[in-house]
Amino acid sequence: MDTSQYLDIFLDESKEHLQNLSDQIMELEQNPENMDTINEIFRAAHSLKGMAGTMGYKRMQTLTHDMENVFSEVRNGTFKVQPGMIDILFKSLDALEEYVNNIQQTTEEGTNDNQDLIDALNSILKNNGEVKVGDSTPDAPADPAADTTAKAESPDADSSDGKKERWQDIKINDTEKMLIEKANSEGLKVYGVTVYVEEACVLKAARAFLVFKALEKLGEIIVSSPTAQDIEDEKFELTFSLIFISGNTAEEVKEAVKSVSEIEEAFCAEYKAAAPAPAPTAAPAKTETKSAAEVKTAAPAPAAAPAPAAAAKPAAAAASTTKPTAAAKPVVNRTVRVDIEKLDNLMNLVSELIIAKNSLISATAAEGKGDNNSVNEQIEYLESVTTNLHESVMKVRMVPIESVVAKFPRMIRDLSKKLGKKMELYMTGEDTELDRTVVDEIGDPLMHMLRNSADHGLEPNDVRVANGKPETGSIFLDAYQDGNNVVIAVRDDGGGINVEAVRNKAIERGTVTPEQAETMTEKEIIDLLFLPSFSTAKKVSDVSGRGVGLDVVKSKIESLSGEVEVKNHFGEGSSWIIRLPLTLAIIQALMVVVGDEKYAIALGSIQTIEDVLPEDIKLVQAKEVIHIRGTVIPIIRLRKVLDIPSGEENSNKNLTVIIVKKGDKLAGLVVDELIGQQEVVIKSMGKYIKVPKMISGATILGNGEVALILDTNALI
């Protein structure tokens, strides 16, 4: 079966299950007795195992199966959750995540069997929940289900101990013996059949029922092990055996069984009534003749047996030689889950759009008869529909940032152990929605900031206690909507930023001279932290110290038309605030004229528009400022910034100044003329034009002209 068409769904579902497992195991660490959590983990692991098996990812399936076994025993009350177990489970999650990432990049799960984790999980089963280092692999199959699975997946290994002929273990009574003798006398053949169901199979009983139905068309089933009732109640592992009378060949019987989907393998050979030999002396002779007979009857079996497992390897090898061309490009997760109501609304608006188009055509046809009012009415109606359509599409693109922040509690837990500091993460506003394209990009910046808070921000436990603080440090991740922006703040109750240390490091590196450092404000010094390779860490660790974090944060956030702001309270903690636009696709903008060119300024960044007299402009430290309602605001002449010739200016003419905001900073942009508010679609300038930072893109106006969009964050 070609499963490539389901790859996107598999990746989405796997990531959801992995995140759910991570959250639930975190919860389990706090409340080991919570049965609801244990059941939820068992269900998620079971679903993940089934999906991996269906897609043919055996390594992922095996590891998840062993995790499921552990939780099965916890759920049954065999043993309780212990701290060592939690660490192994988290490592197993990391391994599963590695498999999923490999699949996303190459469609293959990779070659890492993670045998050490499988051994550790089996050690947990064997030692009643304790992890004992050094348990060898032969002890691993303490779990019968795992043992059965191993045998089901490796028929060749089975053949060494004759287990593939499990029908030999069936005990027959006198009535069944009589039926076998009668069948032999009538020239019919009696077969022993052993069937292995795929591990990923969800409804084992249904598959077994279909096998029974297929066989009943060819003959009569005398006895089965387990019994038919047990099989119906799913009281069996991944294999069952039966004795079967038929006039067909062994190969035809085997084919009938294998025609049922989700059957891993089937073994069929002629059944000899003398199989359970009463005399020990006769055993070797019987075994020899049996083997000889089987060389003939079951000759195809060794070749056919590896079909699912071994034959899958050539297929995988073939895939690995042929796929790289197709799989060179990573499988990117580009799906968005959408509420059906949003789609209904979108559909209704598209219907309205079609009606508006038809009405406009009719009105235009009637225009020659002097009915201009009708055309104007339809244009207004069309404008209303397109505005609603835009809003509706925007809502469809919006996703909660929960998908990004959900992995951080686990990260902070790991950092707490690695750094030897007690810390807790508190999150609010996970349901805050952002454009999908923005959400996909903010994971790394947020991760860097949280690691920064954990390593640099929070003091060691003993220092905190000495300073009269709680031993456990607190890190807060808050998200909320502010107008057309989303604000994400990372703050901690640590020691804050040591401005003097930053100043000294900057002088030591030659970034600034001692004279410059003396005149720099606290904010200017803190901004030095965003320079590449700048770090105040005394030594480089695997958590931080190379200075490659904050410059990445700044460049990434600014590429999303956002901004980063730092608020510092030395000794009390610091706040790192990211401000991002809700969307990067369509914005409400104010159209302005500077010189002979038209420009767009995002409405979200505009505070007010002021009419300023020339004499109200003052000079402070050789920079032009205006004083409005008790606030001193620097002004930026766009003609000068954009290098537009001055032209003929009337120095006595009032200035049109647009007051824009960036965090807590204000600036006034001097423009020549205002056109009005307009909805604009942002178009990228492409990679071939070197665009200054102050230009965030371009838009096409109604008359076909191109207007540049100004990024006020870069201007301030």
Side-chain angles (χ1 to χ4, degrees):
M1 184 178 79
D2 178 22
T3 57
S4 59
Q5 58 184 316
Y6 307 117
L7 189 59
D8 285 344
I9 300 169
F10 169 77
L11 288 170
D12 278 349
E13 295 279 330
S14 296
K15 286 176 181 176
E16 275 193 23
H17 284 308
L18 284 173
Q19 187 55 57
N20 187 23
L21 280 169
S22 178
D23 293 346
Q24 297 297 336
I25 294 173
M26 286 278 289
E27 174 66 28
L28 191 66
E29 190 172 30
Q30 304 301 321
N31 304 299
E33 304 289 328
N34 190 330
M35 285 309 295
D36 289 341
T37 305
I38 292 164
N39 289 331
E40 182 61 35
I41 292 170
F42 181 81
R43 280 193 293 270
H46 185 72
S47 302
L48 198 55
K49 179 189 78 171
M51 285 160 50
T54 305
M55 295 294 290
Y57 297 125
K58 291 289 180 189
R59 291 180 177 87
M60 189 175 171
Q61 178 187 6
T62 304
L63 181 56
T64 324
H65 174 74
D66 288 337
M67 287 176 70
E68 185 189 18
N69 286 341
V70 170
F71 281 106
S72 178
E73 296 303 314
V74 174
R75 195 169 67 156
N76 295 339
T78 309
F79 50 75
K80 294 187 181 296
V81 175
Q82 297 179 30
M85 186 195 301
I86 297 287
D87 290 334
I88 296 296
L89 291 169
F90 273 130
K91 285 179 184 173
S92 302
L93 277 190
D94 291 338
L96 291 173
E97 197 168 339
E98 185 187 333
Y99 284 140
V100 171
N101 289 337
N102 287 342
I103 293 163
Q104 184 164 338
Q105 296 293 326
T106 65
T107 72
E108 298 293 336
E109 63 182 335
T111 55
N112 187 356
D113 288 324
N114 287 297
Q115 192 59 47
D116 54 335
L117 289 175
I118 290 169
D119 292 346
L121 289 166
N122 284 315
S123 166
I124 291 171
L125 287 170
K126 194 174 74 141
N127 298 309
N128 288 329
E130 286 184 33
V131 183
K132 293 188 179 176
V133 182
D135 276 351
S136 57
T137 30
D139 297 332
D143 169 46
D147 189 36
T148 310
T149 308
K151 299 221 182 317
E153 287 180 1
S154 178
D156 287 341
D158 260 349
S159 61
S160 63
D161 57 5
K163 287 286 175 148
K164 67 183 182 182
E165 292 139 13
R166 291 192 171 194
W167 63 81
Q168 297 284 13
D169 299 335
I170 297 176
K171 301 286 187 289
I172 55 172
N173 58 31
D174 292 342
T175 309
E176 287 148 3
K177 268 185 190 172
M178 191 177 68
L179 286 170
I180 290 169
E181 287 165 8
K182 186 182 176 188
N184 286 329
S185 65
E186 290 176 1
L188 295 172
K189 291 181 179 175
V190 181
Y191 296 110
V193 180
T194 295
V195 180
Y196 287 95
V197 181
E198 281 186 6
E199 190 180 349
C201 180
V202 179
L203 300 170
K204 297 185 293 184
R207 295 298 159 207
F209 172 75
L210 291 173
V211 169
F212 276 52
K213 291 287 282 184
L215 290 176
E216 280 167 2
K217 291 178 183 175
L218 302 180
E220 182 187 353
I221 296 168
I222 300 176
V223 63
S224 72
S225 172
T227 64
Q229 185 59 50
D230 282 348
I231 290 174
E232 188 180 328
D233 296 338
E234 284 204 1
K235 291 179 182 174
F236 70 105
E237 294 299 336
L238 297 169
T239 181
F240 59 92
S241 301
L242 47 90
I243 296 170
F244 175 67
I245 297 172
S246 175
N248 297 68
T249 65
E251 202 55 44
E252 286 170 335
V253 172
K254 186 176 169 182
E255 283 304 313
V257 174
K258 295 207 66 175
S259 67
V260 177
S261 62
E262 295 190 284
I263 296 300
E264 178 86 18
E265 188 53 285
F267 298 100
C268 176
E270 199 165 332
Y271 180 82
K272 302 292 182 188
T281 50
K286 179 200 79 66
T287 308
E288 266 184 38
T289 53
K290 180 74 180 166
S291 302
E294 277 183 341
V295 168
K296 292 177 186 174
T297 53
K313 286 176 188 170
S320 63
T321 53
T322 57
K323 274 184 187 175
T325 50
K329 191 176 179 185
V331 183
V332 182
N333 183 17
R334 299 186 64 84
T335 57
V336 178
R337 292 203 168 184
V338 183
D339 188 334
I340 197 73
E341 284 183 18
K342 289 181 180 176
L343 291 179
D344 288 342
N345 190 31
L346 202 57
M347 192 67 206
N348 291 337
L349 287 167
V350 172
S351 308
E352 293 278 331
L353 202 58
I354 293 165
I355 294 165
K357 180 199 74 169
N358 294 337
S359 303
L360 200 53
I361 291 168
S362 303
T364 309
E367 191 182 353
K369 300 170 188 175
D371 188 8
N372 278 334
N373 288 338
S374 178
V375 174
N376 292 335
E377 281 175 15
Q378 294 310 322
I379 288 171
E380 284 177 15
Y381 175 47
L382 189 62
E383 188 180 1
S384 167
V385 172
T386 50
T387 303
N388 289 335
L389 187 60
H390 159 229
E391 287 176 1
S392 186
V393 171
M394 287 309 310
K395 284 176 184 170
V396 167
R397 287 174 60 94
M398 303 294 261
V399 292
I401 64 166
E402 183 181 12
S403 58
V404 172
V405 303
K407 62 186 176 186
F408 293 142
R410 159 79 195 283
M411 185 186 85
I412 293 295
R413 171 200 179 270
D414 292 347
L415 283 175
S416 176
K417 293 201 163 196
K418 192 175 284 186
L419 297 169
K421 296 180 183 177
K422 292 184 180 178
M423 58 183 81
E424 284 289 338
L425 175 65
Y426 301 94
M427 299 196 300
T428 61
E430 299 99 317
D431 55 349
T432 305
E433 292 190 331
L434 258 174
D435 190 289
R436 176 60 195 260
T437 51
V438 182
V439 167
D440 287 343
E441 299 289 336
I442 62 169
D444 283 347
L446 287 177
M447 183 185 74
H448 279 305
M449 289 163 68
L450 287 167
R451 288 168 75 93
N452 210 48
S453 285
D455 195 16
H456 292 291
L458 298 178
E459 315 95 323
N461 299 342
D462 53 344
V463 175
R464 290 182 64 85
V465 173
N467 291 339
K469 293 183 179 179
E471 187 180 8
T472 303
S474 299
I475 300 175
F476 302 88
L477 176 65
D478 306 318
Y480 55 91
Q481 192 171 331
D482 180 17
N484 285 331
N485 293 313
V486 164
V487 178
I488 304 173
V490 174
R491 54 194 175 90
D492 59 67
D493 66 349
I497 300 166
N498 187 336
V499 177
E500 279 306 309
V502 178
R503 191 199 306 268
N504 295 336
K505 186 72 176 180
I507 295 169
E508 183 190 318
R509 289 185 70 220
T511 308
V512 296
T513 63
E515 293 75 25
Q516 286 173 320
E518 285 301 318
T519 59
M520 290 175 76
T521 64
E522 182 177 307
K523 188 180 184 321
E524 287 170 335
I525 292 170
I526 289 172
D527 284 344
L528 294 174
L529 292 170
F530 291 105
L531 293 175
S533 305
F534 193 99
S535 177
T536 56
K538 300 279 190 300
K539 61 178 181 178
V540 174
S541 70
D542 57 353
V543 178
S544 68
R546 299 188 190 276
V548 291
L550 295 178
D551 62 317
V552 171
V553 170
K554 189 172 175 118
S555 56
K556 176 63 78 176
I557 296 302
E558 286 183 349
S559 73
L560 297 170
S561 301
E563 59 179 7
V564 187
E565 185 188 350
V566 184
K567 290 184 178 175
N568 181 44
H569 301 285
F570 187 60
E572 296 174 24
S574 56
S575 298
W576 303 73
I577 299 158
I578 294 177
R579 198 176 298 274
L580 291 160
L582 281 172
T583 178
L584 300 178
I586 303 170
I587 59 166
Q588 293 288 338
L590 177 67
M591 302 303 300
V592 300
V593 177
V594 182
D596 297 328
E597 300 292 333
K598 292 174 182 170
Y599 294 90
I601 300 170
L603 217 57
S605 61
I606 297 174
Q607 291 289 99
T608 59
I609 299 170
E610 303 289 342
D611 195 36
V612 177
L613 295 170
E615 56 265 28
D616 289 342
I617 297 174
K618 310 294 180 190
L619 285 175
V620 174
Q621 294 183 346
K623 292 180 181 175
E624 291 184 313
V625 298
I626 52 176
H627 190 269
I628 294 177
R629 291 179 287 278
T631 308
V632 176
I633 302 168
I635 66 168
I636 301 166
R637 293 186 183 264
L638 288 182
R639 272 180 178 266
K640 197 177 287 183
V641 173
L642 298 167
D643 201 16
I644 295 170
S646 296
E648 292 180 13
E649 276 192 42
N650 184 352
S651 57
N652 296 320
K653 185 181 171 188
N654 287 5
L655 301 179
T656 304
V657 180
I658 300 168
I659 309 295
V660 292
K661 185 178 183 182
K662 174 188 178 183
D664 54 2
K665 283 184 179 177
L666 293 172
L669 308 181
V670 179
V671 300
D672 295 345
E673 192 183 328
L674 300 175
I675 298 173
Q677 182 181 332
Q678 195 171 317
E679 197 171 66
V680 298
V681 178
I682 300 175
K683 299 285 183 185
S684 168
M685 299 289 282
K687 295 177 183 175
Y688 305 107
I689 305 172
K690 192 173 180 183
V691 183
K693 276 191 175 181
M694 68 189 81
I695 306 296
S696 62
T699 187
I700 301 168
L701 304 175
N703 60 1
E705 286 183 39
V706 173
L708 297 176
I709 300 165
L710 296 176
D711 183 357
T712 55
N713 286 345
L715 283 168
I716 297 177

